[in-house]
Amino acid sequence: MSLRQSTHDPRVQALVLLVPALAIYAVFALYPMINVVILSFQKWNGLDPNRQFVGVANYTAIFTRDPVFWVAFRNTVIWTVMSLIFPPVVGLLLALSLNQKIFGRNGLRAIFYLPVIIAPIAVATMWKWMYDPFFGLFSQLLTSWGMQGWIKDWLGSKDIALYSVFVAYLWQTVGFSMVLFLAGLQNVPQTLVEAARIDGAGRWAVFKHVTLPALRPTITIVLVLSIISSLKAFDIVYGLTGGGPAQSTQMLALWAFTQAMQIFDFGRGAAISVVLLLITMAVVVPYLRWTQRHEEVEA
Amino acid sequence: MTAMPTNHAAVHLEVQLSSIKRDPVLIGLWIALVAVALVWVAPFVFIVFTSLKTPAAVTSTGAFVPPTELAFENYSAAWSRGNFANSFLNSVIITVIKVPLGLFLSAMAAYALAKIRLKITKALLLLVVFGTMIPFQVMLAPLFTLVNSFGLIDTYPGVILPYIAFGVPYQVFILHGFFRGIPKELSEAALIDGANHFTIFRRIFLPVCLPVLAALLILDFVSTWNEFAMALVLLQDQRMWTLPLGLMSFQGQFSSNYGQLNAAIVMTVLPATIVYLIFQRYFVSGLTSGAVKG
């Protein structure tokens, strides 16, 4: 086949169009993911030309001899549960309110969404300064309200540091859920809302019987995205506490990074990554199957 | 979405009338919303005020007391002490190359997946959708190893290529959905006229999807500009740092110089904020076109 003929073949054209993006994706995203699984069964310091196969030793090490792993695991679970509750609920409330015809709603939407587009590391830097126990925002406000007794070392105290970090995360992520819910609300059939109103249904009844059922797909999407992004929480923890004090804000993503890039135990770091990857898959795979079924029903 | 069908016009009017009648529930709602919004902007106000205060004013005046003398020298001092000129330039170079290039490659792939029938199309598509969900934070160490094996640590390609790789799935996913919605007749007529797929992609599909491309472009600009974790691992040399890395290091070194620290925060955040305020509409459409059908 001559070159001219071959460029006439749609399959060749498809290949030319597909290869650049998919090759980069395969090399720089899929390959590292496969490599992380292989690494988790090896012992490697990142420099040695030889990687030594050690079976499941890295896994037994993190499960039985690494106390930080379980702290990080517990914190990741707490963090995920909080991310499943607070940003979606606040986001839904904001979306429902901002879906009403009220004065200045575009400006209000913009305000709630603004933190989403700021670099998480900048959010961390902002909040670290706001949490400053002496001159930070919270300490100043409490002092001016005469509530000095409530001032805490927000990020320095083991018992509250995780929640302090989460408040910053909440501030940043609520706008994202809000925008998704606002888009979902546009799909609520207005004719049904009107019909219910005419039948004398109150606001709560309309919400419960019309809006909420119509929002179900959106709710699923928001919850799945909340879980995924909460598992990825890295920048904001790294910037605010670095996992401290005394590992009280340590999380799986950060601990995997620390093991590999700072302690140079790539095997253990990879094993932690695989655990996190498996947890993510447990959420993602059912979700993908659900969306596929959903599409087939619609098609 | 904004244009209401005509049979809704009456209801539309009614809703407006009822808000004119000052529905107490709506008024209560509005007051609550404004209160929450004030809480939401408070950090910004606090940061901007502090960035313009002298060290003495930071410790002696209240959080929301505006600065009396504007200490703009905080900005120039932070700019030079934090080596911001350098990291700003790196951020610009990486973003300006990565964002259009990545989007173009994604559009090519999305077109092929949507409009050229292959046996493996379905499998490839699944692989792409799968990629939108995998957290790259999990793979920082193997990513470092890989880029290091190519000798690309501390280079622009060494960070641009992984950025493209992790941007491809989401963009292909969105654009594929969009291309699939474009009527077959459009491309089939051109095919019969003897045009090949490259021409159809360039002449028909790219122009048609300009609004989606614009939305993705802006979204990608912001996330590339803000990216921290990968840059932290792949850019070790201070001269190659991007703005988020520069800010992080500035915080470590000068955390007690509150005025300058906050000036550094403002300078890092400002470009993305400006882009957002100008292109607000596109943000929402870009975000929601993927996640929720609108």
Side-chain angles (χ1 to χ4, degrees), chain B residues 82-98:
Chain B
N83 215 354
F84 270 82
N86 196 23
S87 23
F88 197 89
L89 184 69
N90 288 330
S91 276
V92 168
I93 290 174
I94 290 169
T95 310
V96 163
I97 297 176
K98 187 269 155 177

Side-chain angles (χ1 to χ4, degrees), chain B residues 213-227:
Chain B
L213 285 176
L216 287 175
L217 193 81
I218 291 154
L219 222 54
D220 198 38
F221 166 81
V222 170
S223 56
T224 307
W225 187 263
N226 290 346
E227 205 287 326

Side-chain angles (χ1 to χ4, degrees), chain A residues 7 10-11 13-14 16-18 20-22 24-25 27-33 35-36 39 44 51 94 97-98 100-104 106 108-115 117-122 124-130 132 135-137 140-141 170-171 174 176 179-180 183-184 186-187 190-191 194 203 218 221 224-225 228 232 234-235 238-239 253 257 260-261 266 273-274 276-277 280-281 284 287-288 292 295 298, chain B residues 1 8 11-12 15-16 19 23 25-26 29-30 33-34 36-37 39-41 43-44 46-47 50 58-59 61-64 105-106 108-109 111-113 116 118 124 126-131 133-147 150 161-162 164-166 168-169 180 196-198 201 222 226 228-229 232-233 236 244 247-248 251 258 261-262 265 269 272-273 276 280 283-284 287-288 291-294:
Chain A
T7 56
R11 281 173 305 176
Q13 296 173 13
V16 173
L17 290 167
L18 281 170
L22 293 186
I24 295 176
Y25 171 54
V27 173
F28 288 94
L30 292 180
Y31 174 73
M33 198 177 78
N35 202 11
V36 86
L39 262 173
W44 193 42
R51 304 181 184 181
L94 289 175
S97 319
L98 290 170
Q100 312 286 329
K101 294 220 159 272
I102 53 177
F103 177 71
N106 287 338
L108 289 167
R109 282 179 189 179
I111 286 174
F112 292 120
Y113 192 69
L114 189 57
I117 56 115
I118 288 179
I121 199 70
T125 315
M126 281 170 79
W127 282 73
K128 191 167 189 172
W129 154 232
M130 298 200 307
D132 186 295
F135 306 113
L137 178 67
Q140 282 201 37
L141 284 179
L170 179 72
W171 178 78
V174 154
F176 184 68
V179 163
L180 293 182
Q186 309 313 310
N187 296 343
Q190 283 306 310
T191 44
E194 290 152 28
R203 281 200 166 87
T218 315
I221 289 160
V224 169
L225 292 182
I228 292 170
K232 296 197 287 198
F234 178 90
D235 300 15
Y238 184 93
F257 164 85
M261 302 304 296
F266 277 64
S273 295
V274 170
L276 190 54
L277 211 53
T280 313
M281 292 303 139
V284 168
Y287 172 67
L288 287 183
Q292 281 203 322
E295 268 178 22
E298 277 190 9
Chain B
M1 255 193 290
H8 286 176
V11 184
H12 197 69
V15 172
Q16 275 186 330
S19 71
D23 184 332
V25 176
L26 280 188
L29 201 64
W30 188 79
L33 269 177
V34 170
V36 180
V39 173
W40 241 251
V41 279
F44 291 110
F46 179 57
I47 299 296
T50 312
V58 171
T59 49
T61 60
F64 294 106
L105 297 183
S106 297
M108 279 167 46
Y111 171 82
L113 287 176
I116 308 177
L118 295 173
L124 287 179
L126 205 65
L127 202 64
V128 164
V129 177
F130 170 74
M133 308 275 175
I134 47 172
F136 67 78
Q137 284 82 350
V138 164
M139 298 178 279
L140 292 173
L143 198 60
F144 168 80
T145 316
L146 177 73
V147 173
F150 288 130
L161 287 168
I164 292 179
F166 285 95
V168 158
R180 220 177 37 171
N196 63 21
H197 280 291
F198 306 124
F201 168 66
V222 170
N226 290 346
F228 174 75
L232 177 70
V233 174
Q236 313 261 335
L247 177 65
M248 188 65 206
Q251 185 198 30
Y258 300 113
L261 174 64
N262 284 284
I265 296 174
V269 162
T273 311
Y276 164 64
Q280 245 190 76
F283 265 93
V284 175
L287 264 180
T288 51
V292 187
K293 281 195 183 162

